[in-house]
């Protein structure tokens, strides 16, 4: 059973703070993703990674960066949090590699509020 | 990049009736189309998916159809039950390279009326 966990369910930060969101998967998946979910906008891809130390921008990368130092861990960093980054953040992973399986498994989400 | 449109945004059906949610995509090279269900306060979970070399796929009360020519795909739920109430997202996997990046629709809130 694939397990994707996120470090916090709820987080409150102040404008200008540096924020770290952590995601860990336990199934040796190659690919990991960060999305944000806002009402009426669906899920929008921020960044993804298909290997350790590799990263690619998604559709809305501005204001974010990521780090993948180990295969199982993918971190999302808000360099200077702003109120428009208040959102639900979802991490996901997929198998990748030689086996063609595109299913993405999601974590429980982190609801971030920036005040 | 890929663009996915999903309709309707809200769908209310009587219990036992069928529900249909439709999505269109823009990238003709997209090759994978999953549907995710998200219950209130929970994470999205895959309920069915289809690849571009298949026109229809069924799993019990759920089916997905794909029309590559028209670039649209639909989710069909028959004999709806209260536990089908949720937000449903369609998605498409483009061929932009890199990982299996998905572009999601904005979601459909399905309400099953008793």
């Amino acid at each position: 059973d694939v397990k994707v966990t996120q470090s916090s369910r709820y987080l409150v930060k102040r404008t200008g703070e540096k924020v770290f969101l952590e995601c860990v998967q336990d199934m040796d998946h190659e690919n990991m993703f960060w999305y944000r979910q806002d009402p009426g906008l669906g899920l929008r891809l921020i960044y993804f990674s298909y290997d350790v130390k590799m990263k690619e921008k998604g559709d809305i990368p501005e204001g974010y960066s990521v780090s993948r130092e180990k295969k199982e861990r993918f971190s999302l960093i808000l360099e200077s949090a702003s109120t428009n980054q208040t959102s639900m953040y979802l991490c996901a992973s997929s198998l990748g590699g030689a086996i063609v399986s595109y299913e993405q498994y999601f974590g429980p989400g982190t609801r971030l509020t920036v005040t | 990049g890929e663009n996915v449109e999903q309709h309707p945004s809200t769908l209310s059906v009587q219990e036992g009736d069928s529900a249909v949610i439709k999505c269109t995509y823009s990238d003709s090279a997209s090759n994978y189309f999953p549907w995710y269900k998200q219950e209130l306060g929970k994470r999205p979970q895959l309920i069915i998916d289809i690849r571009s070399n298949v026109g229809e796929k069924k799993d019990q009360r759920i089916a997905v159809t794909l029309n590559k020519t028209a670039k649209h795909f639909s989710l069909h739920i028959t004999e709806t039950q209260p536990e089908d109430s949720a937000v449903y997202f369609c998605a498409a996997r483009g061929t932009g390279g890199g990982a299996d990046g998905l572009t999601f629709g904005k979601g459909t809130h399905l309400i099953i009326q008793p």
Side-chain angles (χ1 to χ4, degrees):
Chain A
D1 194 24
V2 178
K3 197 168 184 183
V4 181
T5 57
Q6 295 182 227
S7 50
S8 306
R9 289 301 304 273
Y10 301 94
L11 209 52
V12 180
K13 295 292 181 180
R14 293 192 182 276
T15 301
E17 278 192 84
K18 191 169 186 176
V19 182
F20 293 86
L21 303 182
E22 304 283 340
C23 175
V24 177
Q25 50 91 7
D26 67 355
M27 285 302 292
D28 202 35
H29 281 178
E30 302 281 341
N31 303 327
M32 296 188 75
F33 310 84
W34 276 105
Y35 295 91
R36 64 177 282 177
Q37 183 176 18
D38 300 288
L41 296 179
L43 285 76
R44 292 179 291 166
L45 182 64
I46 304 171
Y47 266 98
F48 62 89
S49 168
Y50 52 92
D51 200 354
V52 175
K53 296 192 186 293
M54 304 300 290
K55 59 186 179 184
E56 294 280 348
K57 292 180 180 179
D59 298 319
I60 52 166
E62 296 79 20
Y64 304 94
S65 62
V66 290
S67 172
R68 193 163 180 203
E69 295 297 319
K70 293 185 178 182
K71 191 175 185 179
E72 68 271 17
R73 188 180 296 270
F74 192 35
S75 303
L76 180 70
I77 304 156
L78 286 66
E79 296 291 342
S80 178
S82 63
T83 54
N84 62 11
Q85 293 179 309
T86 291
S87 186
M88 171 67 83
Y89 289 88
L90 289 163
C91 174
S93 70
S94 69
L95 191 58
I99 298 173
V100 182
S101 171
Y102 303 134
E103 180 176 356
Q104 293 191 16
Y105 297 84
F106 284 86
T110 296
R111 184 165 294 283
L112 173 67
T113 302
V114 183
T115 61
Chain B
E2 176 66 277
N3 182 48
V4 176
E5 299 282 341
Q6 182 172 348
H7 300 280
S9 57
T10 303
L11 178 60
S12 181
V13 301
Q14 290 293 124
E15 182 178 347
D17 287 351
S18 295
V20 180
I21 303 170
K22 299 181 179 181
C23 289
T24 60
Y25 60 98
S26 60
D27 184 354
S28 57
S30 289
N31 60 2
Y32 173 68
F33 307 91
W35 286 89
Y36 283 82
K37 175 183 180 183
Q38 187 177 28
E39 296 176 19
L40 190 63
K42 296 190 176 180
R43 70 191 77 189
Q45 293 200 302
L46 181 74
I47 55 171
I48 196 166
D49 56 11
I50 193 167
R51 299 201 180 201
S52 57
N53 58 350
V54 175
E56 184 174 358
K57 185 176 178 181
K58 194 172 181 180
D59 182 4
Q60 299 183 334
R61 297 186 298 108
I62 295 172
V64 56
T65 58
L66 172 65
N67 183 327
K68 285 198 307 181
T69 303
K71 289 190 284 187
H72 67 70
F73 56 112
S74 301
L75 177 71
H76 304 254
I77 306 174
T78 58
E79 299 171 13
T80 52
Q81 300 169 3
E83 55 265 35
D84 295 329
S85 292
V87 178
Y88 292 80
F89 294 97
C90 64
R93 177 183 180 270
T95 54
D100 311 323
L102 294 175
T103 300
F104 284 82
K106 293 182 178 179
T108 296
H109 185 194
L110 178 61
I111 302 165
I112 308 300
Q113 303 277 6

